[in-house]
Amino acid sequence: MARLKKTLLPVLIVTAASAIYALGFVWCYAPNGIAFGGITGAAQIINYLIPAFPIGVTVIVLNVPLFILGWKLIGGRLLVSSLYAMFISSVFIDVLTPLREWEPMEPLLACIFGGLLMGLSLGLIFQQGATTGGTDLMARLLKLKLAWLPMGKLLMGIDLAVIVAVSVAFRTLYAALYGLVALYISTIVMDGVLYGMDTAKVAYIISDRNKEIADAIVKDLDRGVTILHGQGAYTGSAKNVLMCAFKQREIAAIKATIKDIDPIAFVIVCNAHEVLGEGFRDYKKDDL
């Protein structure tokens, strides 16, 4: 039962995310003539020039050579999951398009909500180890070589060229400008889904009552503390600095604990991402 759940849940998430992806495209992008990046944007151009070619089917056809090229680099599992995500999102686009009359809305609203829906859907799909094909797959392949770059930034760079091409095809600069706004929003949301949920904090604490503070954090808040040995630049005296990593929601409790013990403690709280280890998350070989 557990194995079935482990296999079925990612499929359901990818399916739901693909539906969100398609909804964002047919509701916000297509009726408002907003330039869309990637293979879907290229399909948007072809559909504009040759209306007889449905966007969903065109996306599938354009993805075939890319999937063939990516077979050796990404392996069978990612390829199969990406094929499914690409296929089902394309089907949803062609199913939703004739379902109703998708009327144009205020372009800025279309950019905002289109970017939110796209970023959310792509983030969820990437989380499950899949892509929607096209430039998403290209970004996933580039991530193997440029591991330090966030997925959203990689995808944004690749999509810029397609957005410019769409605006040229539509013969309007506004298509590209609105497309850039939507792309920026989707990038922020996507990186938020992929990395934002893992946001943590690191506190550096300098106090004359370090031992009491460390004991309180370890025993009362169940967080580990590391003692760093430092030296005051002005006095030259030795100073121990406490370092503690903790979840975003624990910041108030950490600060209250420190200040209850030593009201004049010097505390530096920094943002931390990708915190790996006990109490946080485990490292995975193919992490994005």
Side-chain angles (χ1 to χ4, degrees):
M1 185 67 181
R3 179 178 291 183
L4 179 63
K5 182 180 179 181
K6 187 177 179 180
T7 304
L8 189 60
L9 184 60
V11 175
L12 293 176
I13 292 175
V14 169
T15 302
S18 298
I20 295 172
Y21 178 94
L23 177 63
F25 181 78
V26 302
W27 180 35
C28 300
Y29 284 82
N32 293 281
I34 296 174
F36 193 86
I39 294 296
T40 305
Q44 197 178 10
I45 296 173
I46 294 173
N47 176 258
Y48 178 76
L49 298 174
I50 311 174
F53 290 178
I55 291 176
V57 173
T58 305
V59 167
I60 294 175
V61 173
L62 293 177
N63 267 294
V64 170
L66 187 58
F67 273 98
I68 293 174
L69 289 174
W71 176 270
K72 292 182 179 180
L73 292 175
I74 62 176
R77 181 182 176 277
L78 179 60
L79 186 65
V80 171
S81 59
S82 297
L83 276 169
Y84 174 74
M86 179 270 294
F87 176 78
I88 197 68
S89 61
S90 300
V91 169
F92 274 128
I93 287 175
D94 284 347
V95 168
L96 290 175
T97 298
L99 200 60
R100 53 161 293 180
E101 188 70 31
W102 300 97
E103 298 178 358
M105 67 175 79
E106 170 61 39
L108 189 57
L109 285 177
C111 289
I112 294 171
F113 286 99
L116 285 172
L117 291 173
M118 287 298 165
L120 174 62
S121 61
L122 290 175
L124 291 172
I125 289 171
F126 282 134
Q127 269 189 341
Q128 304 309 312
T131 73
T132 56
T135 51
D136 302 350
L137 182 54
M138 291 171 63
R140 184 66 179 86
L141 294 173
L142 284 173
K143 183 70 174 178
L144 299 175
K145 298 292 183 182
L146 304 171
W148 52 276
L149 273 176
M151 278 295 296
K153 302 298 188 299
L154 276 172
L155 195 57
M156 182 170 66
I158 296 171
D159 283 342
L160 283 175
V162 180
I163 285 178
V164 172
V166 172
S167 67
V168 171
F170 288 173
R171 296 179 181 178
T172 172
L173 180 61
Y174 291 114
L177 295 178
Y178 283 128
L180 289 174
V181 173
L183 178 60
Y184 179 75
I185 293 172
S186 68
T187 298
I188 298 297
V189 174
M190 185 195 312
D191 283 342
V193 173
L194 288 174
Y195 312 114
M197 303 301 180
D198 192 40
T199 297
K201 300 286 185 180
V202 172
Y204 297 94
I205 308 153
I206 303 173
S207 169
D208 292 331
R209 303 178 67 179
N210 275 346
K211 181 67 168 63
E212 296 171 63
I213 293 173
D215 289 343
I217 292 174
V218 171
K219 294 176 182 177
D220 298 340
L221 302 179
D222 196 27
R223 277 295 167 198
V225 177
T226 299
I227 299 175
L228 307 176
H229 300 289
Q231 182 179 14
Y234 180 73
T235 64
S237 60
K239 284 282 187 181
N240 285 336
V241 180
L242 303 181
M243 184 183 75
C244 176
F246 52 92
K247 298 290 183 64
Q248 170 75 38
R249 62 178 179 272
E250 297 170 321
I251 186 170
I254 292 282
K255 290 193 293 186
T257 298
I258 296 169
K259 291 303 179 180
D260 283 346
I261 297 172
D262 184 2
I264 61 171
F266 190 76
V267 183
I268 303 172
V269 179
C270 309
N271 290 324
H273 297 280
E274 303 271 0
V275 180
L276 308 177
E278 186 176 352
F280 293 91
R281 70 183 184 88
D282 297 328
Y283 170 74
K284 297 179 182 178
K285 183 180 178 182
D286 296 324
D287 259 352
L288 293 174

